[in-house]
Amino acid sequence: MKALLELSNVGMKFDTPKGTFEALKEVNLKIDSGEFVSLIGHSGCGKSTVLNIVAGLLQATDGGVILDKHEVTEPGPERAVVFQNHSLLPWLTAFENVELAVKQVFKKTKSKAEIRDWVEHNLELVHMAHAMHKKPDEISGGMKQRVGIARALAMQPQVLLMDEPFGALDALTRAHLQDSLMEIHAQLGTTVIMITHDVDEAVLLSDRIVMMTNGPSATIGEILDVNLPRPRDRLALADDPTFVRCRQQVLQFLYEKQRKVEPMPKRTSEKAEATRKRA
Amino acid sequence: MVTLTFPTWMEPYRALATGKMSADQWQTLLRQLIWPVMGIAAFLLLWQLAAQRIDTSLGQFPGPVDVWEQAGTLVDEHQASRAKEAAFHERQEKYIASRLAQQPDWEPVYRDYTGAPTFFDQIGTSLITVMSGFLLASMIAIPLGIVIGLSSTAHAAMNPLIQLFKPVSPLAWLPLVTMVVSAVYVTDDPLVAKSFLTSMFTVSLCCLWPTLMNTSVGVTSVSQDLTNVSRVLRLNALSHVRKIVLPSALPMMFTGLRLSLGIAWMVLIAAEMLAQNPGLGKFVWDEFQNGSSQSLGRIMVAVIVIGLIGFLLDRVMLMLQRALVWDKSSVQR
Amino acid sequence: MKKFIRTAMTALTLGLSVNAMADDSVGWPEKADLKFGFIKLTDMAPLAVAYEKGFFEEEGLFVTLEAQANWKVLLDRVIDGQLDGAHMLAGQPLGATIGYGTEAHIITAFSMDLNGNGITVSNAVWEEMKKNIPVENGKPVHPIKADALKPVVEKYKAEGKPFNMGMVFPVSTHNYELRYWLAAGGLNPGYYAPHKGDTSGQLQADVLLSVTPPPQMPATLEAGTIYGYCVGEPWNQQAVFKGIGVPVITDYEIWRNNPEKVFGVSKGWADKYPNTHIRVVKAMIRAAKWLDENNNANRPEAVKILSQPNYVGADYDVIANSMTGTFEYEKGDVREVPDFNVFFRYNATYPYYSDAIWYLTQMRRWGQISDSKPDSWYMDIAKKVYRPDIYAVAAKALIAEGKIAADEFPDFATETGYKPPQKGFIDNITYDGRKPNEYLAKFPIGLKEGDAL
């Protein structure tokens, strides 16, 4: 079966005054349609760079990204992004923010009424119908992020890219949003790539967790399959042995194997190589 | 968005009227009313005391009472001038009728009153001039600021020029503007006076910089996230400017516009004084030259009115800013 | 007051309609909306009176009067057409036409007044001068000659201090009068050398003269930048009122009944709007007559008009001091000078060629005209600039309308434009307008025929 999204030998070098800096090296990843994939790693490991390359906001210096047989060369609504700090236009209401995206994507195919319905539908999906005529600075951080998700979803993307979407939120709000996200994922079957720092979040939401090594020359360290049945329930999972084991493995990767910010020990690189071959 | 509730600043006065004042409201009342009134009273007292001690060659420096009297005189003069104007029009009617009787094919011309402008006419002239100059400056500065903000090439090309011209005083521009207007604006039937154009262009030249700089900074500092949103949405260049850049830059732009209007008003008065162009500046200069015993009082009236108008112009801009700008935190004072 | 205005208006309107009907001798004005410039001096009175008394309107002219910042701005605005005409220094049309300063052909068909200037010195200089002036009945004997100033200037010179005095414009009456007075007292006021690019007028000078706009004279004197000045009214009387200086002489005493301001327009304007020009002159002749008639009876009213802020704007008392026939020297030393301001009598409004030539001789005397010129040149320039022909048309129209009697004008059939040789100068030198070079030869200080710097 052909993957929906394929990253092959993606590398990223930046020119700096001190010479060339290699941020990413030989990132290879295939993602199937409908899959929920998390990217996890320490700060500065290049997760965001990967995501931005997929989004088309950055151009890889080596290798490339293929989405549904087309190479990614520029950003586009089929790869909608949910940004870390919501990135809503502060002068527009929730409704208008989503509407801007919808009009841009569907202006030729949907009538005015259909556009309005679609905007409202997506806001309902994230439980924001009640505050859709409020401006960003009149609603809470969690609500803003919901609107951000609604905006991305409303574009009907082939891949939904989420850059630490819940990073700035308090634990309770974050839990609510995670539940919503699972609900939506179940309902729409969207393909999702999400960057996170949070191990629990990664295990709870993902089908696969892609663990990245530390930079420079960061790459994929391990990939973990999370074989937990859906729908998942956070309370029930707390004691679930699979959940605990997955959680353990990610923690081990992050805090034992990748504790230091030094160049990779050879063993890990070999393992990564092996992982890539398996994928 | 109109709400018909009591403005919050009025709340303490309502409380005062009903006899129910909280400590907080007392504080507000003190801050809003009592301290300012006391400040003004102290100023008037100091002014009166100081004025009594300053003997100029035009007599004693005018105190608040003299200035108040002169303000009354200026109002009287204005009314007298209006009466003369009415009489002028009456005479003109008669003249036209009599000339038509002698020369039936004559095309009558109705003229405006030819008398000297009063203080209030000068205020009107100054306001029209400052607004025209300010609007012209904005019409140049905003688009140019956007271009400079968007394109680093344009920025590199224009920046030295901006830095060079920004600090130039209106007094330096004035002779050049005057000569250029005289040379270029040649028409037998002028729609507007040359002096108006001179004042207006001088004002524009001096006041466009804050708007230009702030607009370009506002445009440059559009958040990367919003730019990314625009890229993901594949907004074309025009939509990008319209939907993302302009609203983003609006708070900065308004800050610039407010500064510009303030400068415009100051420059205008100076330009009018120097070029003897109609307006409040000319009023001040004429009074200075007259050197009558009332001149200083009349100049003081003009000073207060100039300050008041400057203050009101700023308030109007502030209200506009409040109404139009999304980022309320950018609206200060 | 309102009632008075209304009555006056009705009277005016009645007069207006009758006039417009009666007048056929001068055609309708080609341009009726006019803007005239003036400098805040009492001798602008004919303009203010022609406006306020409705003389302009009766000629079908709708005039706006606008005060100007200084003589240069005023002249430039007449040249570039922002002003249709203006109250000018007699030397300005001549200077502009011969190209001294801004070059432009300016003409005048109306002389605005005689006399009206004075020379004022600071209190300190006056105290020094007083020592050299004889006293009679407790008062200094007038006219005071510059001989009294000479020791003061020499003392300053010895102390290494330049002796600065102000006048209003390089081609102003005041410049020439101040120079005349100084030179008559043996002080060299300095030469101009425009051919060498020197327009400071301070070559070989004992007293350094510089330009200050009239209304700023008292302030500049007070600031100590200058020790004295020559200026028109009310700025000499203002110095007395402010107690900052003492007028020492009026120009009436330097040259009795000297021509002063003129009404200047550009040649191009006059050619384009001949009827308008004639009508302007008509209105101003009437205004001048009003100012002088019945032995200055209207002067108090004129002073009231002039003290309005949009005209001269100084206090009534200050303006009245000179305009009503008196002049105050030292504080309290008020003397009768009935002819201090003359607007109409002695044919004051007639633009005499000989007046023009006197100014040209002074320009030559002080080097503003750098080359020696033949007598015929003086006469040609005078003819080019002074236009008694236009004045005559206006005057005849007024005579025909019955507004002014023919005997109040020169006899136009015989008038040549040259006054007979004039005496009455402070140095007793006689001036004959027909012999400019001979006149120049009489001055001990000054360039003469054949001289060059």
Side-chain angles (χ1 to χ4, degrees), chain B residues 57-58 77 83-84 87-88 90-92 94-95 98-99 102-103 109 111 113-116 182 188 194-195 274-278 282 285-295 298, chain C residues 2 9 12-13 16-17 20-21 23 28-29 32-33 40 51-52 57 60 62-69 77 80 82 215-216 222 235 238 242 272 308-315:
Chain B
S57 54
L58 293 181
E77 279 174 15
K84 279 174 99 177
F88 169 86
E90 218 171 286
R91 289 200 306 276
Q92 179 169 239
K94 295 240 171 77
Y95 169 78
S98 86
R99 184 162 172 182
Q102 299 171 66
Q103 197 189 10
V109 185
R111 294 180 170 83
Y113 179 50
T114 54
S182 297
D188 277 342
K194 273 182 184 173
S195 59
L274 193 69
Q276 303 286 293
N277 288 341
K282 181 165 167 60
W285 188 247
D286 282 351
E287 286 301 334
F288 174 57
Q289 300 233 315
N290 285 347
S292 88
S293 52
Q294 306 175 337
S295 290
R298 294 159 73 97
Chain C
K2 251 187 185 163
M9 293 305 167
L12 272 176
T13 33
L16 184 106
S17 29
M21 301 285 269
D23 180 89
W28 295 106
D33 297 291
K40 286 177 177 280
Y51 180 88
E52 295 290 331
E57 281 183 33
F62 296 87
V63 172
T64 309
L65 297 176
E66 199 182 88
Q68 306 297 311
R77 294 179 87 171
D80 76 9
Q82 289 189 64
Q216 285 156 40
E222 203 177 356
W235 310 115
Q238 184 82 291
K242 287 176 159 190
K272 205 167 162 193
Q308 286 176 26
N310 51 319
Y311 296 123
V312 180
D315 286 348

Side-chain angles (χ1 to χ4, degrees), chain C residues 29 42 54 75 80 83 133-134 142 150 206 220 242 254 264 288 300 344 388 394 424:
Chain C
T42 50
L75 179 63
D80 76 9
L83 294 173
I133 301 166
H142 280 259
K150 201 174 177 188
D206 295 321
T220 315
K242 287 176 159 190
I254 298 173
F344 189 70

